Amino acid sequence: MSGSARLTFTLNGTKRTVPAATGENLQSLLQRMGIPSVRDADGGEGFAGSDTILLDGKPVLAGLMIAGQAEGRSIQTVESLMPGGRLSAIQAAMLDAGVVQSAYNSPAAALLIADLLRRVENPTEDDVRDALSGLFSRATGYRQFFHAVRLAREQLRANDDAGEAGGKAFGEATGAEAGGGPVTRFVGRDWRRVDGVKLVAGMKAFVEDRVEPGSCVLRMLRSPHAHALIRAIDTTAAEAVPGVVLIITHRTCPDVRYGSAGQGDPEPSPYDRRMFDTLLRHHGDRVAAVVAETADAAETALALIDVDYEVRDPVLGIDEAMANGAPRVHPEPVEFPLAIGADTRRNLAASAAGSVGDPDRAFLDADVIVERTYTTSRVQCTPLEPHVVYTRMDGDRLVVHASTQVPWHLRRIVARVLGIGENRVHVIKERVGGGYGAKQDILLEEVCAFATLVTGRSIFHKYTREEEFVAATVRHPFRVKVKMGALRDGTLTTIRMSVDTDTGAYGNHCLTVAMNACSKSLPLFRCPNVAFEVSAWYTNHVPSGAYQGYGAPQGAFALQLAAAEVAAALGMDQLAFLEKNRVREGDVLEIMRSLGEGREGAVVKVGTCGLGEALARGARMMGWDERTPGAHGHGEPRRGDVRVGRGVAIIQQGSGLPGLDQACASVTLLADGGLLVRSGGADLGTGLDTVLAKVAAETLRCPLERVAVISGDTDTTPFDKGAYASSGTFFSGNAALKAAEHLAVQVLDVAAGALGEPRDSLSLEYPGRVVGKHGPVTLAEVAHRAQAGEGAGELTGRASFTSNDHAIPYAAHFCEVAVNVRTGAIEVRRYKALHDSGGIINPALALGQVYGAVLKSIGHTLYEEMVFDRAGRCLTTTLGDYGAPSIQELPRDMEAVFIPTDDPYGPFGGKSIAEISVNGAAPAIAAAVHDATGVWVRDWPITGEKILRLLGRF
Amino acid sequence: MVAEILRPKTLGEAAQLVSIPGTAVLGGGTWLNATVAARPALPPGPLALVSLENLGLDFVEWRNAALRLGAAATFQQVLDAPGVTEAVRDAMAAVASRTLRNMITVGGELGHCPPDSVLIPVLAALDARVHVAGRRPLGIVEYRAARTAGPVGLIVEVSASDADRPCAVSSLARTSHGRRSLVIAVSAARFLPKLTHVRIVASDCRGQVLRLADAEDALEGSRLPAKDRIESLVRAAFWPTSDLHASTEYKRYLAGVYAADLLHGLAAREASAREAAS
């Protein structure tokens, strides 16, 4: 066989002969052959499993094979599971179990389950763990896969014909329902997600699936230094490479300063970025971009760009940043759209402070005072789908196919950087294969957009996994000093919280993340005297930014662990201390007045709060009160080297940013009585589109399968602030609810005319009817009457949603750990997450959100760590080296429970779910480790080495 | 650039092809293809891959009390085979991904010698021999030394003549899929009444894979000492290099702990087996 040849193999049962180079990557070849479901999430690391195929019936990774290896073999992809185009029982089970979220590797998961069920008749939990051991599922946390396998096995048994699809289609209820709340048909019950079929079937859904033949690629030359000045850059040789279309450097890019954070406008982040700059501020910072007709040409050209660097001393930590005479990370003038307490001469990107009561006085009266420092490390979001964009021209308009959480902010920022009107920019949010905050920043879109605008060419750019680590945003490292005072009876009387954060090279989200650490932790305690101060420092590290929780995990780690230390100092049970001092329904949160995000805040009154029940029920589930001496707890006799301990944390988040943000939606009655929901909301795999469909169907009493949703398209849907700050259900959901209610009024008006009776004698009834005294009229008949010659036109309900009301989700997380005090091995044996997220709209998807977030947070607590060398270069640039958890790290006993409350402000009583779930693991695990071993580990990740050092083992 | 895949039908043909400059052996392809993706790591010019698929080297078998693993046997195949020694199975299972285990071959592991391999220390503890076409069998340490000197040729199989002797392995990694920081493998022919043919192999996963000869000599022919004595012997003989996730001190400490615990665990197992037999 020669280097370029024809390959013959069987693909999904059909013999295929294709021209291919022997050494072509098999995953690339399959994509070229029209199989989008075999994806690349790790550049051939062999970690993520998105490139799983069955080769001669066994799962292997196409990304680690060359095309020549397929010669004469049989390859199956997910398409083989659905002969005739119908979902298999396995795919149906995955949808029913709620494991299809960001879905970048859902097709791979389906193949692995298929392989398992072929090999093992009755899989045990260990069998499932083994089968999915090659799959990285950041979104789901794996827990519901066990259920999916059970469902699939039962369905396959029930089907005489194994190819017959099981389960129910979208529009049919799938089982579970959340308790509480009003009687509903769709809300609170499990229905398959509206985009589920295309995601689990591996159809075209993501940005990379939109790339047209002949498109160019963009590759970025990145700084090898943490801090350097470009003295000269020569692109002559690179430009001469055949196929090179454009090279962008600081000399040829727009001279515009901007920020990458997709936040409210005006942004509470500095404009401290230029598309390309002469000063390079972190390892991985942009030096130049090459646009070429092939990837080979682009990479050849990159290697030929000659750069003369003047390497400077880097600033690699908070102490270095604040030291007298420290190198300035931003010596240039920086524009601040809002005053955020910055002083760039001192590398201070933002600062703020506030207080209630008289904390200092209260410390004088306290019986116990604990003063501790807690630190947290950089954590990477690691979305399965890396950052990616595809830009093209449509006439004189720029079209941006984006994997983004913030389509409207993206449009605004791109238009501003490029100096064109927003009318010339069309952003289409495709399905997002994982965001978690990472895709709230504009990190590559404006470069690609500029290149397309300049060249007129369609351009595709996708980060490598290494670029995700060196050039995407990370969770801010924090250093939090907490001073806490309490009376002997356990009453918490005073807190001082001092937060320093490392915002890295740029200040995106610098103030708001630090503030959020306070605003999502301090209000959990009824404490009359509270003071806080926050400072965000520029360093020469990869920029920090948004990551699920948005500062709250760091704040919770510090404050909850400090509370545990106070309880220990008092000789009081940790749970009893939390119960005594926790926030309660109706409390007025005075401290929130000082916690506005770059603006004045407002006092908040707590609406519903399910913390009391969460703590009580969690305690029962854990057997908290049944501790027997010696069973766990330090200082007690134990068997062997393993010590068992328990910990608990109370946590909260918000539901969007009341007073700051807005969402809009419309609901149109289609001619046949169906509904079309248009929402600016950005579904990141969380199921937001399904929330919108349910809200509309519930309100109009319309069958769910008659509802379509278009979202996140700046041309065809109305404005929405985007998916951040836990705003999806609360803001976008409420906007859809209001739009549906607006449509309902119009429907009743038309029906009143048709039936000849007053509107208030009519009611909407399932399935899609208006019922009055004179009989029913269907929604189709209403639509027809409105759209006919004498009608007033198509009926569309429109609404925008703003609010000053806070729907605060609360939760209590419990865990039990086993620590081997000889080896340092830590095992999370039990984890219970009890959540008050109001009324639950999508129960299975909501559970998946919790499980996914909890495993992420167990990850950052125990395993995940970005390691840098002394020059500031990131050394952990693969998922394995970084320590991303897989199904083997999932605790054996892990359970999430919803505590139903009926929030007065959320749609159908709903509050937010996903973000809060990352806040509990670090403090709960740290407290449990202390309970087990007697040592407080005050910096994450909590490792065996740290524990053994604290125990004095070496 | 990979120019072609050659598919020889005999071992002789394969060995001859492998000896030609510009060729590389294709087993499962996981290491090789990752290297192909990172092109700067490869020599310039076209590359011909020699596939083992037609050579019948995907065997896992016991013959004359020796465990034989063919070069083309995958890790999953070894795991699924009946009767494979527990420590060897543990080494295979240390590759946490079943999907990867379906691809990685015994020959590929030996050919690539990843620094955090668990299999290689286990094979060393079992006094395994690497069979390279046209050469006398090499011990693991010897094989690694030969490999650093230059291409060794076509790996055909690895065998352990006394593979059912007590052997165990422990390793340190932050996660199941993470890079390992330490591997300790131990074995002995007998524990009672005294230790015989004791082996302690330590890998710091940064390039050192050592038989801790001083510690072995101190233990050979003696009664199994207390754990702290074993720990001291191991720590005195092993100076690991730190890595991303573990310091030198931590590795040294754990090396002692692992070796002591493994040896005591195997001894306890032998004692209970004797008790059951009597």
Side-chain angles (χ1 to χ4, degrees), chain A residues 1-4 22-23 43-47 52 58-61 64-66 68-69 71 73 112 115 119 130-131 133-134 296 299 641 821-824 862-865 867 875-876 878 880-886 888-889 941 943-945 948-949 953-954, chain B residues 1-7 26-34 36-37 39 49 53 74 76-77 79-80 95-103 172 174-179 227-228 231 235 243-251 253-254 256-258 260-261:
Chain A
M1 185 182 297
S2 64
S4 289
T22 304
E45 183 191 345
F47 187 97
T52 300
K58 288 184 178 171
V60 296
L61 302 173
L64 278 174
M65 295 182 68
I66 56 175
Q69 288 180 275
E71 177 70 33
R73 316 284 289 271
L112 291 169
D115 171 61
R119 288 186 289 107
D130 181 52
S133 55
D296 279 350
E299 281 156 18
D641 298 314
V821 293
R822 182 165 158 79
T823 65
L862 295 178
Y863 315 120
E864 298 175 36
E865 187 174 20
V867 181
L875 302 176
T876 44
T878 65
D881 281 348
Y882 169 65
S886 66
Q888 282 95 338
E889 277 67 55
T943 64
E945 178 162 0
L948 293 179
R949 281 187 190 277
R953 292 288 190 269
F954 58 90
Chain B
M1 166 188 153
V2 176
E4 56 186 337
I5 297 180
L6 306 168
R7 292 182 167 88
L26 176 64
T30 50
W31 299 113
L32 185 70
N33 292 332
V36 169
R39 292 183 306 166
L49 302 182
E53 63 193 288
T74 66
Q76 189 60 44
Q77 207 181 323
L79 259 180
D80 291 342
V95 173
S97 160
R98 182 187 182 93
T99 313
L100 276 178
R101 292 199 302 267
N102 281 332
M103 305 180 75
L172 171 69
R174 197 172 278 185
T175 61
S176 55
H177 286 62
R179 193 187 297 259
K227 285 184 178 181
D228 56 355
E231 289 176 34
R235 286 173 196 145
D243 60 36
L244 293 174
H245 299 308
S247 68
T248 293
E249 297 91 331
Y250 184 36
K251 288 186 181 187
Y253 166 81
L254 272 189
V257 166
Y258 283 171
D261 288 357

Side-chain angles (χ1 to χ4, degrees), chain B residues 51-72:
Chain B
S51 169
L52 307 185
E53 63 193 288
N54 297 327
L55 301 178
L57 295 179
D58 56 345
F59 57 83
V60 180
E61 64 181 33
W62 287 92
R63 187 183 293 177
N64 300 328
L67 175 65
R68 298 177 61 221
L69 307 177

Side-chain angles (χ1 to χ4, degrees), chain A residues 437-589:
Chain A
K439 292 173 181 170
Q440 196 188 336
D441 276 68
I442 314 309
L443 296 179
L444 65 173
E445 293 89 347
E446 85 282 25
V447 184
C448 244
F450 174 67
T452 287
L453 197 65
V454 168
T455 65
R457 305 289 291 265
S458 301
I459 299 172
F460 177 63
H461 182 32
K462 181 179 178 182
Y463 269 21
T464 63
R465 185 52 62 180
E466 180 177 1
E467 282 179 305
E468 285 294 315
F469 284 100
V470 303
T473 54
V474 299
R475 195 185 289 293
H476 288 69
F478 270 48
R479 182 172 67 196
V480 187
K481 294 177 182 168
V482 179
K483 186 176 179 184
M484 204 175 254
L487 301 179
R488 200 163 288 115
D489 69 356
T491 304
L492 182 61
T493 54
T494 178
I495 304 172
R496 181 174 289 283
M497 186 175 185
S498 175
V499 175
D500 288 296
T501 77
D502 179 342
T503 194
Y506 299 102
N508 40 310
H509 308 274
C510 62
L511 175 71
T512 42
V513 164
M515 295 290 274
N516 214 46
C518 300
S519 66
K520 302 299 184 287
S521 61
L522 290 168
L524 280 158
F525 292 112
R526 280 179 154 176
C527 183
N529 306 291
V530 175
F532 72 88
E533 54 188 6
V534 302
S535 300
W537 301 93
Y538 281 123
T539 66
N540 290 117
H541 272 301
V542 62
S544 303
Y547 184 2
Q548 192 171 21
Y550 204 77
Q554 299 98 312
F557 176 57
L559 211 63
Q560 290 292 310
L561 201 52
E565 296 206 45
V566 169
L570 287 164
M572 192 171 175
D573 179 76
Q574 189 200 1
L575 180 59
F577 183 82
L578 292 178
E579 175 56 32
K580 183 176 180 69
N581 292 289
R582 70 172 174 83
V583 68
R584 283 161 166 77
E585 209 160 281
D587 282 358
V588 176
L589 307 176

